[in-house]
């Protein structure tokens, strides 16, 4: 039976965790801080649970330099749950802004205000999606499904990368080709939000940086693009300027912790911009389910219902370990390390183009999920590569079932030593057979 040190795991998620965190977790799972109780047993209403939530929020705030004008929430549902939650909440914010504007211009005539907002929902509500891979595609489809009772055309796919890449995902098209809903200062009505997935795990595509066309310009918030980013698979792997985003969300099970914890970072100003459920219903829009209702979760310090305290504690331990090793510059250090590890792999792949073919365009290559084919997708040779890797203790390399191939997931907890083990196998496999 192999030891933990003998296995180099590159699975796409759940992903590796630092061994010291797992060792501490095993003790906490049995007897947390000599309380005689497991972290899986303590009440989520207890002072211990409250402290764990607060400590984890504080660690994340230090790592990402989260401004005081933002709130950190812990929820259930993973990234896929947020596909729905974002639509419910951000459409509610859009409706409330329209209601307030109508009330300001029409006075207290509730019937006129309602009729105007109802018309604006039908004619002007738009949700912008930048589709660069499987997850952003699913997010846009979920939005369309949720809004279908209102009709068609509410989801604006402002960019579909397949159109610039022969029908397949693998690039981030030039921003000049994007068809974003114009903001008010651009002569339009503006969208409820602009969504993108910062890193696509299935297709190995990552935005190299924050899109310049979405940069805030210091205008009124209602005249800016409200940017929503799914960072599930590259969370804490590079520095992020939080104030550029309206909402950042991510599942914890890749770079932060274990499953069943979802992190949301949201502007507090948005939490204060919600209509009543009855008004939403009157204009034809569903109100958010309470466990996805951001203001309710924020008001209750993420403790509205029974949240996974053990999972949140694990995430906090991962964050604190980064702070211990790197200090408040941890995200910059992780960015450098992720780039170095990815370069080791990409250099070998690029150096053997007859054997390995990297899937995405060079400018959009992910640092987190390195996707490639072997001998142009030869199934037998890819099978041989994966079997040989398993014999060397290199696990979790099979590509996503929807696209096949090989995928190296280079998350934060994957050490450089394991990347070098993989590099040796890549080099060996690329050598011509001896005659």
């Amino acid at each position: 039976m192999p030891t933990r040190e003998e296995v180099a795991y590159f699975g796409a998620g759940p992903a590796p965790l630092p061994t010291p965190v797992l060792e501490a977790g095993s003790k906490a799972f049995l007897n947390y801080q000599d309380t005689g109780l497991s972290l899986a047993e303590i009440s989520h209403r207890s002072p211990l649970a409250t402290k764990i939530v607060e400590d984890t929020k504080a660690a994340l705030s230090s790592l990402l330099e989260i401004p005081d004008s933002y709130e950190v929430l812990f929820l259930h549902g993973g990234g896929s749950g947020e596909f729905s939650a974002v639509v419910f909440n951000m459409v509610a914010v859009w409706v409330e802004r329209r209601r307030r504007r109508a009330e300001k211009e029409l006075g207290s005539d509730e019937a006129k205000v309602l009729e105007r907002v109802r018309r604006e929902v039908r004619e002007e509500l738009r949700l912008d999606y930048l589709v660069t891979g499987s997850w952003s595609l699913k997010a846009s489809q979920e939005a369309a499904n949720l809004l279908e009772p209102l009709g068609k055309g509410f989801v604006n796919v402002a960019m579909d990368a397949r159109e610039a890449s022969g029908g397949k995902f693998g690039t981030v098209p030039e921003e000049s080709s994007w068809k974003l809903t114009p903001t008010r200062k651009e002569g339009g009505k503006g969208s409820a939000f602009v969504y993108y997935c910062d890193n696509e795990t299935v297709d190995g595509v990552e935005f190299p940086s924050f899109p310049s066309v979405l940069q805030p310009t210091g205008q009124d918030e209602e005249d800016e693009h409200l940017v929503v980013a799914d960072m599930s698979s590259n969370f804490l792997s590079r520095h992020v300027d939080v104030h550029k985003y309206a909402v950042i969300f991510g599942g914890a099970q890749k770079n932060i912790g274990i499953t069943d914890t979802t992190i949301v970072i949201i502007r507090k100003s948005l939490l204060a911009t919600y209509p009543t459920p009855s008004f939403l219903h009157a204009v034809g829009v569903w109100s958010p389910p309470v466990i996805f209702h951001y203001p309710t979760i924020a008001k209750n310090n993420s403790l509205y219902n029974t949240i996974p305290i053990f999972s949140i504690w694990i995430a906090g331990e991962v964050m604190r370990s980064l702070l211990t090793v790197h200090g408040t510059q941890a995200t910059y250090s992780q960015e450098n390390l992720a780039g170095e590890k990815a370069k080791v792999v990409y250099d070998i792949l690029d150096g053997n183009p007859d054997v390995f073919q990297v899937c995405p365009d060079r400018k959009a290559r992910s640092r987190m999920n390195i996707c490639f084919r072997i001998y142009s997708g030869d199934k037998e040779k890819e099978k041989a590569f994966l079997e040989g890797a398993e014999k060397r203790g290199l696990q979790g390399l099979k590509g996503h079932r929807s696209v096949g191939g090989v995928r190296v997931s280079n998350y934060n907890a994957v050490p450089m030593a394991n990347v070098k083990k993989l590099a040796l196998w890549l080099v060996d496999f690329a050598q011509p057979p001896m005659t």
Side-chain angles (χ1 to χ4, degrees):
M1 180 178 294
T3 65
R4 184 170 177 81
E5 290 71 26
E6 292 172 327
V7 172
Y9 185 58
F10 298 95
L17 286 166
T19 298
V21 170
L22 290 175
E23 290 173 340
S26 68
K27 296 177 181 178
F29 197 78
L30 181 63
N31 186 354
Y32 181 64
Q33 293 186 350
D34 296 324
T35 60
L37 292 173
S38 165
L39 265 185
E41 297 172 324
I42 67 168
S43 168
H44 68 295
R45 306 289 186 198
S46 67
L48 273 178
T50 299
K51 187 174 188 308
I52 287 169
V53 169
E54 291 296 341
D55 288 350
T56 304
K57 289 168 64 173
L60 182 61
S61 296
S62 294
L63 284 167
L64 290 181
E65 299 175 305
I66 298 175
D68 291 339
S69 54
Y70 283 74
E71 185 62 74
V72 176
L73 311 177
F74 300 108
L75 297 93
H76 301 278
S80 295
E82 289 308 303
F83 295 167
S84 304
V86 160
V87 174
F88 283 126
N89 285 275
M90 296 303 288
V91 168
V93 169
W94 186 92
V95 168
E96 175 61 8
R97 285 179 166 177
R98 293 305 181 99
R99 188 198 67 79
R100 292 180 184 182
R101 191 183 307 165
E103 190 175 71
K104 183 178 180 180
E105 296 174 4
L106 299 175
S108 58
D109 190 324
E110 294 182 2
K112 288 184 178 180
V113 169
L114 175 61
E115 181 53 36
R116 173 167 144 175
V117 177
R118 184 184 286 141
R119 173 177 52 79
E120 290 178 340
V121 167
R122 292 194 305 267
E123 297 177 1
E124 300 176 8
L125 176 62
R126 295 293 182 274
L127 284 57
D128 286 353
Y129 280 79
L130 306 177
V131 176
T132 54
S134 299
W135 294 113
S136 48
L137 177 61
K138 288 178 182 290
S140 68
Q141 292 169 337
E142 175 69 355
N145 288 337
L146 290 175
L147 294 175
E148 189 171 3
L150 287 173
K152 305 287 186 180
F154 294 102
V155 173
N156 171 41
V157 177
M159 176 264 280
D160 186 333
R162 293 173 295 184
E163 296 174 1
S165 190
K168 295 182 179 181
F169 293 120
T171 188
V172 177
E174 294 295 327
E175 294 180 14
S176 59
S177 69
W178 301 0
K179 298 175 182 177
L180 296 165
T181 302
T183 62
R184 287 199 306 174
K185 67 183 178 184
E186 295 168 337
K189 301 295 185 180
S191 62
F193 60 86
V194 181
Y195 163 96
Y196 73 95
C197 181
D198 206 29
N199 181 75
E200 292 277 3
T201 59
V202 174
D203 308 283
V205 173
E206 184 175 26
F207 278 79
S209 59
F210 186 85
S212 60
V213 72
L214 301 179
Q215 290 279 0
T217 58
Q219 303 292 322
D220 183 272
E221 192 177 61
E222 290 195 42
D223 288 327
E224 302 276 10
H225 294 291
L226 291 178
V227 180
V228 175
D230 178 354
M231 295 189 181
S232 293
S233 53
N234 63 356
F235 218 103
L236 300 183
S237 72
R238 62 183 178 188
H239 181 68
V240 172
D241 191 349
V242 173
H243 90 275
K244 294 180 179 180
Y245 301 86
V247 178
I248 296 171
F249 70 82
Q253 69 274 12
K254 301 181 188 295
N255 271 326
I256 310 171
I258 58 179
T259 57
D260 201 27
T261 297
T262 311
I263 297 173
V264 172
I265 304 169
I266 182 171
R267 271 186 208 148
K268 289 179 179 177
S269 61
L270 299 178
L271 294 172
T273 314
Y274 276 70
T276 63
S278 60
F279 189 85
L280 276 174
H281 300 161
V283 299
V285 176
W286 294 345
S287 57
V290 68
I291 60 168
F292 283 156
H293 187 251
Y294 292 158
T296 296
I297 303 303
K299 181 180 178 181
N300 289 274
N301 193 30
S302 296
L303 296 167
Y304 174 79
N305 64 333
T306 308
I307 59 174
I309 294 298
F310 180 72
S311 299
I312 293 171
W313 180 84
I314 287 286
E317 285 293 289
V318 170
M319 296 173 194
R320 286 185 287 274
S321 68
L322 287 172
L323 288 168
T324 298
V325 175
H326 303 291
T328 55
Q329 298 297 301
T331 53
Y332 296 98
S333 298
Q334 284 300 129
E335 185 169 358
N336 291 335
L337 180 56
E340 291 170 4
K341 292 188 296 177
K343 186 176 186 301
V344 169
V345 178
Y346 280 126
D347 281 353
I348 296 172
L349 300 179
D350 291 337
N352 297 275
D354 293 336
V355 180
F356 307 117
Q357 294 81 44
V358 178
C359 296
D361 181 78
R362 186 180 292 268
K363 292 186 293 185
R365 287 179 175 179
S366 170
R367 302 161 304 125
M368 297 288 99
N369 306 100
I370 301 169
C371 298
F372 60 96
R373 303 310 297 258
I374 295 176
Y375 289 102
S376 300
D378 185 304
K379 292 184 178 180
E380 289 304 313
K381 287 185 170 60
E382 287 182 345
K383 181 181 178 182
F385 175 85
L386 294 170
E387 289 177 348
E390 287 277 347
K391 292 176 181 178
R392 294 182 175 221
L394 306 169
Q395 298 184 13
L397 290 168
K398 189 175 182 180
H400 191 272
R401 62 188 180 278
S402 65
V403 295
V406 180
R407 174 171 55 176
V408 179
S409 293
N410 177 37
Y411 297 132
N412 285 354
V414 174
M416 178 64 87
N418 286 1
V419 173
K420 289 181 177 179
K421 290 179 184 178
L422 173 62
L424 289 174
W425 173 229
L426 288 168
V427 170
D428 287 351
F429 188 85
Q431 298 302 311
M434 296 183 65
T435 57

